[in-house]
Amino acid sequence: MNPVRNISNPGMGRESELLAVRAAWFAVKPVLPVLLVAILMFVAVVLLGGISLSYFQVSSAASGMAPLALAAMGETVVIIVRGFDLSAGAIVSLSNVIVASQAGDSPGNQMLWSCLAVLAAGGVGAVNGYLIAYRRLQPIVVTLATMFMVSGINLMILPFPGGNVPIGTSNFFAGDLVEGVVPAAAVHVVVALLIWAVVKKTRFGTALYSVGGNEEAATARGIRAARTKFFSYVLAGLFYGYGGLLLSANTGSGDPLGGNALLLSIFAAVVIGGTRLGGGRGGCLGTVLAAFILMQISSLMLVLSVSTNIAPLFQGVIVLVAIAIASLLSGSPAMATLSGVRATLAGAFGARRSFRMERKIRVQEALKLPDNDELAGGPIRRFLLQYGDKMKMIVPVYVLLACVIIASALLLGSTVLTVNYFNSLMLLTLITALLALGQGIVVISGGMDLSVGQAVTLCGVLAAGFYGQFGHIEGMVPLIFVVVLAVGALIGVLNAIGVVFLGIPAVIMTIGANGVLSGFTLLYTNGVPSGTVPESLRWLFGRGWYGFAPAIMILFALLAIGWFLVSRTRFGWRVLSVGSNPVVAGLSGVPVARTITLAFVVSGLCSASAGLLLIGYTGSAVLNMGEAYLLPALAAVFMGGTLATGGRGHYLGIFGGAFLLTAIGMLVTGADLSHAVRQIVLGAVVLAAILFLNESES
């Protein structure tokens, strides 16, 4: 037996080596295309810039990409476990402002505050993780709310960009570890990758991929899914904080909102790096290489002397195209979408009749009552049976609105409960309620539109600019309004193309669209909006009947239109069906792709209309004027009883949510609280609403 063993061992050894090599190849293979593109981009920057490759170039490239790479690594961890984190940029800024405002000159003090900044970021991640993992709230809504709350905290710590990052901190994170040989930023990225490599080898790392791939199967194998999700958000927060330290070292100062600009690039780095948005697959090495590519795109634009007004547009388009390509290549959700569309269209007419009959039967069964002995107050009982669920959505928000108005009267005195107060309340509600109509329809259908801020800005700027150029021509004002509304509808169509046909998640697509629209606005205005506002728009917000502005009539018309559109049309039923279950809706004859597209078109039209009304209210068009309405519009949707996952919502509740948030905003303003506090309050209101809805569902 010994000779056999001696002969067989070498063969077994070679087989083991081959298996090891093959395993290594399969581990490296997914990131090879990204690595190749990264090398080509770096070479292109060096060659087109006419510069020789030097240590300075390598060090600058490492320092530029390190903050994005570390932040994107945190997002990668969350997405692997099938999560989502919109608060990443705000948490990066939190770490940045803590160091810039608190760190002193001594090395010990700098080390202390650097550690505290990272721990604070991890603490925010723990809050996100607790609410998502243990309270089972939707990641998008939770992290959107914490994004605004953390932004408010950042503004409280550092109200304006500034502060000072000590030179010791800058040198440690962005200087030279070995002068002229090893850049510190590159070392920190390598350290972060080593941390990730260790995490992947642990039981927790295995659980990340198991829960992200199939949570039910992972739970059946004894993996604690909730704990895994919780710690994934904590780890992500620590990575964000680490990235904030490198951002502080690069800039030498603090910016309370600076990290928000990284959000689209963070998602782009994750997707381009090969991590699947559906969870269970991917890794941080590809993410780091993708972050390097994205930073080289910015460097390439500088090398090519692209105008600062055009650069954001080009960069946004490039990032969206890259995300679309990565989405097509990784699992090809677009192909599945198109197959679903074809299947839906094939049986549309016959299945639609079946769907309507089933719906009619369900309504009739809901209206069936017990025997006559139990029908005391029959009409009331019948009403409650038919509308009880809707009343649960609608009534609470109006009760809270009444409480806020009463509290305002007690705290602010005689200025409340007057014509001026209610006139201001309704005028300020108009824009929010209008945007919430479009946003609500998108959310009910199962999506979310984060492009409304820049859509409002672009449409308002275009209206003012067109009127300044062509307003003197008779009959041009109605045509200008039509063109602006068409632009809003086009924005909705483009969002829908990305979501429906390219398979890009609605949140990422609309964040990207927001950046592209910002670039268009800068390109059109050259950074300085101009033009005038039509008198007809100004007249709407002037004094009218009994001290109330004529625009208030639009508010009540909006209420009627929104109620009818969501509750009394075939389109409204389709939106609810798609939001409840798009697969079942498609099998029932609902044109899923067309319904989602129309939902985004309605949102675009609402954004365009809001842009027109906003320039009439303010009397001019300014950059970013629509951004302040993004969270209130979303908050109104959730406060009105709409489920973040889609499939449930009513415009009467959304309308009341818009009123409630405006009343809260007026109370905060009247109490002379800062904008930072208002951000925190609005974020807290959204979380409270989602918690309440979650409890009522359970």
Side-chain angles (χ1 to χ4, degrees):
M1 293 184 65
N2 288 337
V4 174
R5 184 178 302 170
N6 292 335
I7 293 172
S8 62
N9 280 342
M12 292 179 63
R14 285 193 297 272
E15 184 177 348
S16 299
E17 290 176 2
L18 288 174
L19 289 174
V21 171
R22 185 176 298 176
W25 164 250
F26 281 114
V28 174
K29 183 180 177 181
V31 302
L32 284 180
V34 188
L35 176 61
L36 178 61
V37 174
I39 294 172
L40 291 175
M41 287 294 301
F42 185 70
V43 171
V45 170
V46 172
L47 293 179
L48 292 175
I51 52 180
S52 59
L53 183 61
S54 63
Y55 171 77
F56 175 77
Q57 295 298 323
V58 174
S59 178
S60 297
S63 297
M65 72 90 165
L68 174 60
L70 288 168
M73 287 176 67
E75 192 72 51
T76 300
V77 175
V78 168
I79 288 180
I80 286 174
V81 80
R82 198 174 288 186
F84 216 83
D85 194 348
L86 290 172
S87 65
I91 299 175
V92 169
S93 291
L94 175 64
S95 175
N96 171 226
V97 298
I98 289 175
V99 171
S101 63
Q102 304 298 325
D105 294 329
S106 68
N109 183 272
Q110 293 172 27
M111 183 179 296
L112 172 64
W113 282 107
S114 296
C115 292
L116 289 176
V118 174
L119 290 175
V124 177
V127 172
N128 285 335
Y130 169 75
L131 293 172
I132 293 166
Y134 294 107
R135 300 305 298 269
R136 298 184 177 277
L137 304 183
Q138 284 300 304
I140 290 177
V141 182
V142 169
T143 57
L144 180 70
T146 53
M147 177 183 78
F148 280 89
M149 294 175 69
V150 173
S151 295
I153 294 171
N154 295 343
L155 288 167
M156 294 181 70
I157 296 173
L158 193 68
F160 303 100
N164 178 60
V165 177
I167 189 66
T169 301
S170 295
N171 288 337
F172 181 76
F173 289 105
D176 293 336
L177 189 65
V178 178
E179 187 173 355
V181 179
V182 181
V187 173
H188 285 288
V189 172
V190 171
V191 168
L193 285 172
L194 290 174
I195 292 172
W196 169 246
V198 172
V199 168
K200 280 186 67 176
K201 298 297 183 182
T202 64
R203 186 175 297 178
F204 169 66
T206 303
L208 281 175
Y209 286 93
S210 298
V211 173
N214 189 321
E215 183 175 343
E216 291 77 13
T219 303
R221 291 198 300 267
I223 295 174
R224 298 173 66 176
R227 186 173 67 176
T228 302
K229 291 181 180 180
F230 172 77
F231 282 109
S232 72
Y233 280 92
V234 174
L235 180 59
L238 295 173
F239 274 128
Y240 302 149
Y242 200 174
L245 295 181
L246 280 114
L247 180 64
S248 304
N250 281 349
T251 60
S253 62
D255 187 344
L257 303 177
N260 294 343
L262 292 175
L263 194 57
L264 175 60
S265 296
I266 287 171
F267 286 115
V270 174
V271 176
I272 296 170
T275 298
R276 187 176 63 182
L277 291 171
R281 191 177 72 189
C284 289
L285 178 58
T287 296
V288 170
L289 293 173
F292 182 79
I293 292 172
L294 293 173
M295 296 311 299
Q296 292 309 299
I297 291 174
S298 300
S299 300
L300 189 60
M301 290 183 180
L302 290 175
V303 166
L304 297 176
S305 300
V306 177
S307 169
T308 55
N309 290 328
I310 302 177
L313 173 60
F314 280 178
Q315 190 169 7
V317 170
I318 290 171
V319 169
L320 274 182
V321 170
I323 291 174
I325 293 172
S327 179
L328 287 169
L329 294 178
S330 60
S332 191
M335 297 300 105
T337 301
L338 290 175
S339 299
V341 171
R342 286 195 295 268
T344 300
L345 293 177
F349 293 102
R352 185 187 300 124
R353 286 193 296 269
S354 175
F355 174 73
R356 292 174 64 185
M357 287 297 297
E358 291 177 6
R359 187 179 67 204
K360 184 176 180 180
I361 292 171
R362 287 197 300 269
V363 172
Q364 290 175 345
E365 289 178 350
L367 291 175
K368 284 182 180 179
L369 301 177
D371 55 56
N372 291 332
D373 293 337
E374 299 181 12
L375 285 181
I380 297 177
R381 184 177 179 83
R382 191 178 300 113
F383 176 84
L384 292 176
L385 283 172
Q386 185 172 2
Y387 298 107
D389 290 338
K390 293 180 181 178
M391 297 297 288
K392 290 179 182 178
M393 288 189 287
I394 297 169
V395 171
V397 72
Y398 287 97
V399 172
L400 288 173
L401 174 61
C403 293
V404 170
I405 292 176
I406 293 171
S408 299
L410 295 174
L411 294 173
L412 304 180
S414 60
T415 58
V416 184
L417 305 181
T418 63
V419 170
N420 285 337
Y421 173 82
F422 285 105
N423 181 64
S424 298
L425 177 63
M426 287 187 279
L427 288 181
L428 292 172
T429 299
L430 175 58
I431 306 296
T432 302
L434 180 57
L435 290 173
L437 171 59
Q439 188 73 261
I441 289 174
V442 173
V443 172
I444 293 171
S445 72
M448 189 175 290
D449 188 355
L450 300 183
S451 69
V452 296
Q454 287 300 326
V456 169
T457 300
L458 176 60
C459 291
V461 164
L462 288 176
F466 290 162
Y467 186 73
Q469 290 179 289
F470 309 111
H472 62 281
I473 303 175
E474 185 177 353
M476 285 298 294
V477 173
L479 181 59
I480 290 172
F481 290 170
V482 170
V483 170
V484 170
L485 291 174
V487 170
L490 179 61
I491 292 170
V493 169
L494 295 176
N495 278 331
I497 289 173
V499 173
V500 176
F501 296 104
L502 298 180
I504 303 174
V507 173
I508 295 179
M509 180 63 205
T510 53
I511 290 175
N514 199 62
V516 172
L517 294 175
S518 176
F520 268 116
T521 304
L522 284 173
L523 180 61
Y524 176 73
T525 62
N526 201 26
V528 183
S530 60
T532 55
V533 178
E535 287 297 328
S536 56
L537 291 178
R538 294 184 181 183
W539 172 80
L540 287 173
F541 295 92
R543 288 294 179 182
W545 309 288
Y546 303 101
F548 291 98
I552 290 173
M553 298 302 297
I554 299 177
L555 182 66
F556 291 110
L558 178 66
L559 173 61
I561 293 170
W563 168 79
F564 180 75
L565 184 65
V566 175
S567 304
R568 289 293 182 268
T569 64
R570 182 180 297 177
F571 170 68
W573 278 102
R574 288 174 174 173
V575 167
L576 287 165
S577 301
V578 171
S580 297
N581 192 318
V583 176
V584 173
L587 294 174
S588 300
V590 177
V592 176
R594 188 169 66 191
T595 301
I596 294 174
T597 300
L598 287 176
F600 278 103
V601 168
V602 171
S603 182
L605 288 171
C606 289
S607 297
S609 302
L612 291 170
L613 292 174
L614 190 56
I615 62 172
Y617 179 71
T618 60
S620 62
V622 297
L623 294 178
N624 300 319
M625 64 181 183
E627 289 292 343
Y629 291 90
L630 172 61
L631 181 61
L634 275 169
V637 171
F638 299 130
M639 286 294 295
T642 302
L643 284 183
T645 52
R648 193 187 82 174
H650 197 286
Y651 188 64
L652 289 179
I654 294 172
F655 189 81
F659 259 107
L660 173 60
L661 288 163
T662 304
I664 292 173
M666 292 179 67
L667 176 59
V668 171
T669 303
D672 199 25
L673 298 177
S674 66
H675 175 67
V677 174
R678 188 170 186 268
Q679 292 273 84
I680 296 172
V681 169
L682 286 177
V685 166
V686 174
L687 281 182
I690 298 302
L691 280 168
F692 173 77
L693 288 173
N694 190 65
E695 292 295 336
S696 64
E697 283 298 301
S698 59

